[in-house]
Amino acid sequence: MFTTVLVANRGEIARRIFRTARSLGLSTVAVYSTADARMPFVDEADAAVELPGNTPGETYLLAELIVEAAVRAGADAVHPGYGFLSENAGFARAVIDAGLTWIGPPVDAISSMGSKIEAKKLMAAAGVPVLAELTPAEVSADDLPVLVKASAGGGGRGMRVVSRLEDLAAEIDAAPAEALSAFGDGTVFCERYLAGGHHVEVQILADQHGTIWAVGERECSIQRRHQKVVEEAPSPLVERIPSMRAELFEAARKAAAAINYVGAGTVEFLADDAGRFYFLEMNTRLQVEHPVTEETTGLDLVELQFAVAAGEQLPANPPPTVGHAIEVRLYAEDPSNDWTPQTGTLHRFEVPPSLRVDSGVVDGSEVTPHYDAMLAKVIASGPDRTSVARQLAGALERSKIHGPGTNRDLLVWILRHPAFLAGETDTGFFDEHGVGEKLDDGVVRVSALAAALGDAAGRVGPVRVPSGWRNLRSQPQRKSFRVGDAVHEVEYQLTREGLVAEGNVQLVESGPARVVLRVDGVRRVFDVASYEGLVCVDSALGSVSLTPVERFTDPALQVAAGSLVAPMPGTVIRVGVQIGDKVTQGQPLLWLEAMKMEHTIAAPVDGVVGELKVEAGQQVEVGAVLAVVGEEA
C-alpha cells in the first residue's frame, strides 16, 4: 500500500481527494500554479510543489513537471483527479515508469477511449448501441440537426450543433481551432444530434480481479454550452422506464469489459424519451458529479479508487441505490449575458451546513480567468426527489455569496421549475424554458434603500445623529447603484416622523451590517455587507449585488461610442474582420477564450470597423477596448 499521494489537480478536486486520503491516514502532496498559490487546497496538503506559471499549458498540463514534483516530494502514488491530465495515457505511462502507483485505469484503456471516433468503433464491436458517425461530406438535410464534435474533447469544448446545411462548413472550420486549443488535437467528426435527448451515465468500478460494478446511473441533461449544470441520481427517465436500468447497466459493463477496464470510470449515453440509448463516450476517470452516486449508495468512490489501485478485490455486487440526490454546479458567470464568466475577489462564501459542499474556494479567494468558472458543487440528498429539490433550492437561496456574479438564482429557479419537478429534464431545457427570471424590480429598489441606509449608519461619527439629519426639512439624500445594466437612484429623508422614501416603507432600525424595514406592513431584515466598489444585500426577498455609482466620473476611464470592450480577461483566439469592413449589429467580430470557454464579441451597431486594437493570440484585460465600430462616414 502506498503512503503518500500527489494529486495532479487543483481546487475542489484536490480538496475532495485530500479529504479521503487523510481519513485513510495517507500523506498528501499538492502541485499548484503561481496563480493558485493562495488557494485553500495548497495549505491543506502536507506538502506542495509550485509549478511556475499561470495557465494550464504552463502548469497542470505538463506531465514531466508533475512527475518530477511527485518524486521530489517523496510521493509514491499519483491521483489525477478529473480534468487536465486525468485521461492522458502519456501521463499515466510517465507515472508508472517513474516507479509510482497510478491511481487510475490501465494505460491501454485510457488510450482506447482517448479518441471518440475509435471508441465508438470499439463499442459497436462489443455490442454497445452507438450513433453512426457521419463525415461532413455525407451530411444531408435529412440528417439535421447534427453535432460537430472534437474527437479528443470533453466538457463541451470543440462542439457545435448545426441545424442548417449552409452553416456546416463554417462550424467545421471553427470547431477544430477550439479543439486544438483545448486538447492539442483538432480532429472533429459529425453525428446525429438528439435535440431533446437525455444525458444518462453509468458509474463503473472495476478491480484487478475481473469484478465490474455498475454503481447506479445519473442524469445530467440540464446543460449550458454542452456542459453540465444539474446532475442527479437516480435518473428520472430511467425511473419511468422499467427495463431501461438493466439494459444500461449491461451496456456499461460490456463497455468496461471490452477494454479490460480497472478503476472508476463513467460510460455516458444519450437517450430519447422512449428509453432508446446510444453510447456517447467513456470517461476513464472519476466524474465531477460523482457525489450524487456517493450520497445514494453510501460509498466513498475515492476510497475505492485507492483500494483498487492497491490490488484489493471488490465484493461481488455493489450496494443498492437508496433515496435521491441532486448536485448543482455553482459557476461564477452571468447566465443572462451568454454565460459570460465573472472574475474577482470572492469576499464571502457561506452555504448552510445542511448541504454537502465540494468547493475549491473560501472567503477571500480570488476567481481568476485562468481556469474553469466553477466555484463549488452543492449537493442535497434525501428520501425522494421533490423534497431534495426543495431543500437544495431553499438552502441556495439563503446562501451568502459576495463577489463575482454567479448562477445561484438560475439554479434556484431550475430546482423550483414545474418542468424540472416533473422530471422533464432533457438537453433542450434552457432552449425551451429560458434562463431564469429577472430579479423583481421592487426587491432591487428596497434592497438599494437598505444599502443606502446601511452605508449612512456606517458613517455616523461619535455623535449619534442620523446621516443627513437637519433641524428643518431640506433636500433628500440621494445615492445611485448599478445592478446589471440598470441604475437605481435612492432618495430618502430621515425626519422627526421617521423615514420618508418611495413606497410604503418604514425604518425599524439600521446599522452598517443590518437594516430592518417594514415594507407594506411586513417586517423585513436586510443583511448589508460593503466591500470596495460593491454592496451585497441579503434578505428573504432575494440577494442583490449593487455597484455604487460615483457622482463624478474620471474622463480617462470613458471609452468612445461604438467601442467593443473585453467582458473578462482572456486571449483573443480569432479576429473575423479588418479595418474598413462594413458590419451589422450582432455580427461576430472576434472571439475570446477565457475560463475554458469561447466567447463571441459582436458588433454593437451597424457601421464600419474604424479601429482594431488586437490580434489573434493577444492577452487582454477586462475592460480593454478591442475594436471600435463607427458610422460609415
Side-chain angles (χ1 to χ4, degrees):
M1 182 67 180
F2 41 84
T3 60
T4 303
V5 178
L6 179 140
V7 178
N9 224 292
R10 64 178 297 278
E12 67 91 7
I13 304 167
R15 297 181 84 191
R16 163 69 190 92
I17 297 163
F18 289 165
R19 187 168 69 240
T20 292
R22 283 194 299 270
S23 73
L24 298 174
L26 301 173
S27 297
T28 56
V29 178
V31 287
Y32 64 95
S33 69
T34 304
D36 277 342
R38 298 175 62 84
M39 294 298 283
F41 78 94
V42 179
D43 290 334
E44 290 177 7
D46 296 310
V49 179
E50 182 177 4
L51 307 175
N54 294 320
T55 67
E58 298 171 312
T59 55
Y60 299 107
L61 291 176
L62 294 180
E64 64 275 12
L65 286 186
I66 294 174
V67 172
E68 179 190 336
V71 173
R72 195 172 359 140
D76 51 3
V78 172
H79 192 302
Y82 29 96
F84 292 139
L85 294 172
S86 61
E87 295 179 279
N88 185 299
F91 177 52
R93 171 57 62 197
V95 169
I96 294 167
D97 288 347
L100 308 173
T101 299
W102 168 248
I103 305 176
V107 174
D108 290 345
I110 299 174
S111 297
S112 62
M113 293 292 104
S115 164
K116 288 183 174 62
I117 296 173
E118 296 305 315
K120 291 179 71 169
K121 293 176 182 176
L122 271 172
M123 293 301 103
V128 179
V130 300
L131 285 170
E133 179 192 343
L134 302 169
T135 62
E138 67 185 7
V139 174
S140 68
D142 293 336
D143 297 316
L144 297 175
V146 297
L147 187 65
V148 179
K149 201 170 184 181
S151 179
R157 305 297 304 279
M159 293 175 69
R160 303 283 196 284
V161 177
V162 180
S163 302
R164 304 187 312 165
L165 274 179
E166 56 264 38
D167 296 334
L168 183 61
E171 296 296 4
I172 285 177
D173 287 341
E178 186 180 5
L180 186 64
S181 170
F183 313 112
D185 183 345
T187 306
V188 299
F189 65 99
C190 296
E191 66 183 15
R192 187 162 57 89
Y193 178 65
L194 299 183
H198 296 260
H199 189 120
V200 181
E201 59 190 33
V202 179
Q203 175 70 56
I204 286 293
L205 197 69
D207 63 22
Q208 300 174 28
H209 309 279
T211 302
I212 302 175
W213 280 2
V215 195
E217 87 284 342
R218 303 183 283 257
E219 182 156 342
C220 315
S221 299
I222 297 183
Q223 303 177 3
R224 55 95 166 110
R225 294 183 170 225
H226 309 291
Q227 292 179 312
K228 301 163 187 173
V229 176
V230 181
E231 301 112 339
E232 56 184 311
S235 158
L237 174 67
V238 176
E239 290 280 273
R240 287 198 297 268
I241 301 174
S243 62
M244 189 176 177
R245 180 169 289 122
E247 293 170 2
L248 272 173
F249 286 8
E250 179 62 21
R253 285 190 289 262
K254 282 182 180 178
I259 58 172
N260 298 315
Y261 198 76
V262 174
T266 304
V267 187
E268 300 195 352
F269 300 94
L270 190 64
D272 61 20
D273 284 330
R276 294 183 292 264
F277 59 86
Y278 309 92
F279 174 83
L280 275 178
E281 62 185 2
M282 183 173 183
N283 289 301
T284 53
R285 54 174 169 81
L286 201 62
Q287 289 278 86
V288 176
E289 56 272 20
H290 76 273
V292 294
T293 298
E294 294 184 326
E295 294 299 310
T296 52
T297 61
L299 297 171
D300 182 329
L301 292 174
V302 176
E303 181 177 349
L304 289 170
Q305 284 186 294
F306 288 155
V308 166
E312 296 181 23
Q313 187 166 357
L314 295 171
N317 297 298
T321 295
V322 178
H324 203 91
I326 301 175
E327 170 183 296
V328 294
R329 300 191 189 189
L330 184 69
Y331 286 109
E333 67 184 12
D334 182 356
S336 65
N337 186 23
D338 196 29
W339 314 98
T340 304
Q342 308 291 294
T343 58
T345 302
L346 187 64
H347 301 290
R348 188 172 184 183
F349 182 70
E350 181 182 304
V351 180
S354 58
L355 302 180
R356 171 175 171 176
V357 180
D358 286 12
S359 171
V361 296
V362 294
D363 291 0
S365 291
E366 197 70 24
V367 181
T368 73
H370 304 299
Y371 312 110
D372 186 274
M374 191 174 75
L375 300 178
K377 304 176 312 193
V378 186
I379 307 104
S381 58
D384 62 85
R385 186 172 185 269
T386 301
S387 65
V388 170
R390 183 170 58 243
Q391 176 196 2
L392 185 52
L396 281 169
E397 196 171 47
R398 292 190 298 275
S399 299
K400 293 183 177 178
I401 306 166
H402 300 167
T406 73
N407 66 337
R408 184 260 302 273
D409 291 345
L410 173 69
L411 298 175
V412 173
W413 174 80
I414 293 169
L415 293 165
R416 291 174 173 166
H417 197 284
F420 177 83
L421 294 173
E424 299 168 3
T425 55
D426 61 37
T427 55
F429 189 89
F430 292 135
D431 294 332
E432 182 176 353
H433 302 293
V435 289
E437 301 169 347
K438 289 183 64 176
L439 198 60
D440 183 82
D441 195 58
V443 174
V444 175
R445 286 199 304 271
V446 73
S447 297
L449 175 60
L453 292 167
D455 181 60
R459 294 171 186 267
V460 172
V463 179
R464 300 297 295 173
V465 177
S467 173
W469 185 89
R470 290 175 64 96
N471 190 42
L472 299 173
R473 181 172 295 192
S474 182
Q475 297 293 312
Q477 294 200 84
R478 297 182 177 88
K479 197 166 184 66
S480 297
F481 298 95
R482 185 179 299 279
V483 179
D485 294 328
V487 175
H488 295 263
E489 186 171 273
V490 177
E491 290 191 3
Y492 71 93
Q493 287 180 295
L494 296 171
T495 70
R496 290 187 179 91
E497 292 77 29
L499 175 70
V500 177
E502 177 187 0
N504 183 15
V505 183
Q506 292 87 42
L507 175 63
V508 178
E509 62 179 85
S510 66
R514 185 173 184 266
V515 174
V516 182
L517 300 174
R518 191 169 285 109
V519 183
D520 294 326
V522 179
R523 188 178 187 272
R524 303 281 189 183
V525 177
F526 298 84
D527 293 324
V528 181
S530 297
Y531 309 99
E532 177 92 25
L534 178 69
V535 182
C536 296
V537 180
D538 297 294
S539 74
L541 296 173
S543 297
V544 182
S545 295
L546 306 116
T547 302
V549 177
E550 299 298 332
R551 291 188 179 185
F552 306 104
T553 58
D554 184 349
L557 300 178
Q558 298 180 351
V559 297
S563 295
L564 286 79
V565 298
M568 81 290 288
T571 303
V572 178
I573 55 175
R574 279 190 292 152
V575 178
V577 291
Q578 296 178 339
I579 293 176
D581 285 356
K582 290 184 178 181
V583 296
T584 57
Q585 184 178 8
Q587 177 182 337
L589 304 186
L590 50 86
W591 289 261
L592 279 182
E593 183 178 67
M595 299 173 91
K596 293 176 66 178
M597 293 174 67
E598 184 178 300
H599 308 274
T600 302
I601 308 299
V605 293
D606 295 349
V608 173
V609 179
E611 295 182 58
L612 199 57
K613 296 180 175 290
V614 294
E615 58 187 24
Q618 185 174 333
Q619 295 276 338
V620 295
E621 293 299 320
V622 63
V625 177
L626 308 173
V628 179
V629 175
E631 297 180 2
E632 187 171 353

